[in-house]
Amino acid sequence: MDTKTITGCELQVMMVIWDSEKQLTLPEILKNVNEKYGKEWKAPTVSTFLSRLVRKDFLSMKRTGITFIYDSLVAKEVYKEKVL
């Protein structure tokens, strides 16, 4: 986990994932981040953030059929400890 390279937008995506009690798909993340933060992001934008977070080892991505499911690899508390 490289905490120095996570952007504010990526953090908003992570907050949506951390606040969920289950693994989420792109449409679920898109809906939640737009509602929670008053954004008007489109799927390609959120997909880019998700791809970056997977590369940075913040998220795992599993394919089930044609759908990708995202889950946190870094606990919210661990992230908070690293950045404070």
Side-chain angles (χ1 to χ4, degrees), residues 12-47:
Q12 289 175 336
V13 171
M14 285 303 300
M15 292 299 290
V16 164
I17 293 168
W18 283 325
D19 291 345
S20 176
E21 295 180 5
K22 65 180 187 92
Q23 299 172 334
L24 298 172
T25 63
L26 172 60
E28 293 169 326
I29 295 167
L30 176 63
K31 177 181 178 283
N32 292 342
V33 79
N34 281 342
E35 288 177 0
K36 183 172 183 172
Y37 295 104
K39 302 290 185 183
E40 293 184 17
W41 289 342
K42 305 292 184 218
T45 302
V46 176
S47 181

Side-chain angles (χ1 to χ4, degrees), residues 1-7 56 58 79 82-83:
M1 172 182 69
D2 184 359
T3 57
K4 294 179 183 173
T5 61
I6 191 169
T7 67
K56 294 175 183 181
F58 275 81
Y79 176 76
K82 297 284 185 186
V83 295

